[in-house]
Amino acid sequence: MSELVVHHLAGAWGLPSVSPFCLKLDAYLRMTGIPHKAVTAPTPFAAPKRKAPWIEHEGKAIGDSGFIIDYLRTRFNVDPDKNLTPAQHGTALALRRLIEENLYWTMVYDRWVVDANWRVFRNVVLGGVPVPMRYAIAPMARRSVRQQLRGHGIGIHSADEIHTIGKRDVAALSDVLGDKPFFMGDTPTEVDAIAYGQLANILLVPIPTPIKDEGLARKNLPAFLDRFRQRYYA
Ligand SMILES: N[C@@H](CCC(=O)N[C@@H](CS)C(=O)NCC(=O)O)C(=O)O
């Protein structure tokens, strides 16, 4: 069997990647113990779908964290979700959509559009690109992200409205978690890797936003991140 190579965007602020999708995959790989080599990519331009993360394995290149996990599940015969009921599978998928298709974009707005945050974040997200090139790429990348935000729909709202949306998502995650150790109960499952990848990238990074404040105020979310870290990143 050839080596599994995982390409992810750079880490910072104590996290292996500042991309929630890359951190999700990293967390999933730790959860399932699949041996692999992690490679940091300065940009996602070499990815099959031009987004990170992506993997190479046995002559195949696969993009998209969800399709990568589908592949790993069958190829390596691992499934942290195997004991979930159909209803729990449904709930986990709904949480995944909330996190990846909605909350994610509020984080993107705070990092890429809010001017003060962008001045910090551009040097983090493009930190692997040498300096003259970095300053050429930065405005183009920012323009493309603004277009993606508008295409998604969230980008037409005001900052206050976007923060209202993000705070509501974070509060819902906190309510669903409740006093359980993990989202589906006592045992970590895929949705915990997804929640960790996203929530760590909001709550544990120095990008000030009302959404981070809401998450930190909901005490069970920082406690969840601690618990997850102790288990997989100690
Ligand atoms: N659905 C994809 C989303 C991946 C994604 O959006 N990755 C971002 C980094 S967090 C990216 O590479 N963006 C580059 C771009 O949009 O140009 C997944 O689950 O992997």
Side-chain angles (χ1 to χ4, degrees):
M1 189 194 298
S2 70
E3 187 176 33
L4 171 68
V5 180
V6 178
H7 299 265
H8 62 85
L9 297 186
W13 305 314
L15 298 176
S17 179
V18 296
S19 152
F21 297 102
C22 297
L23 188 55
K24 158 194 173 178
L25 181 58
D26 188 73
Y28 185 86
L29 288 162
R30 283 165 189 255
M31 194 180 271
T32 50
I34 297 171
H36 63 282
K37 180 171 109 182
V39 177
T40 300
T43 67
F45 299 157
K49 294 177 180 170
R50 289 179 76 83
K51 285 192 187 258
W54 75 101
I55 63 164
E56 289 173 274
H57 191 234
E58 297 177 340
K60 290 180 284 289
I62 305 173
D64 188 281
S65 63
F67 288 126
I68 294 168
I69 286 175
D70 289 344
Y71 172 78
L72 298 176
R73 192 184 302 114
T74 34
R75 182 64 190 79
F76 291 86
N77 198 20
V78 291
D79 189 3
D81 293 10
K82 64 178 180 303
N83 293 323
L84 298 185
T85 64
Q88 285 177 314
H89 274 289
T91 303
L93 182 62
L95 290 175
R96 173 178 162 189
R97 300 300 189 220
L98 177 150
I99 293 168
E100 297 189 342
E101 310 299 341
N102 203 66
L103 178 59
Y104 167 73
W105 291 104
T106 70
M107 179 210 70
V108 170
Y109 172 83
D110 277 320
R111 290 177 169 187
W112 290 79
V113 178
V114 175
D115 285 327
N117 294 342
W118 171 240
R119 280 194 286 277
V120 174
F121 186 64
R122 65 184 170 189
N123 288 313
V124 172
V125 71
L126 298 173
V129 180
V131 156
M133 180 70 99
R134 187 187 308 170
Y135 292 130
I137 289 182
M140 288 190 298
R142 194 183 195 201
R143 213 171 304 126
S144 150
V145 168
R146 281 184 196 273
Q147 273 165 8
Q148 291 184 44
L149 285 163
R150 277 193 296 272
H152 171 276
I154 203 160
I156 59 170
H157 298 311
S158 69
D160 279 354
E161 287 169 335
I162 293 171
H163 291 142
T164 299
I165 291 169
K167 286 195 303 191
R168 203 169 281 157
D169 287 355
V170 163
L173 290 173
S174 167
D175 290 340
V176 172
L177 179 62
D179 57 10
K180 301 189 294 299
F182 297 101
F183 276 88
M184 292 295 128
D186 290 335
T187 310
T189 62
E190 182 182 337
V191 74
D192 295 296
I194 294 168
Y196 179 77
Q198 181 60 76
L199 289 172
N201 265 295
I202 297 175
L203 273 58
L204 305 183
V205 306
I207 300 283
T209 142
I211 303 170
K212 174 181 176 177
D213 296 343
E214 175 74 23
L216 291 176
R218 300 263 172 169
K219 294 292 176 213
N220 63 346
L221 295 180
F224 162 77
L225 295 178
D226 270 358
R227 195 174 304 119
F228 196 93
R229 274 189 148 179
Q230 298 272 334
R231 192 155 178 149
Y232 297 114
Y233 289 92

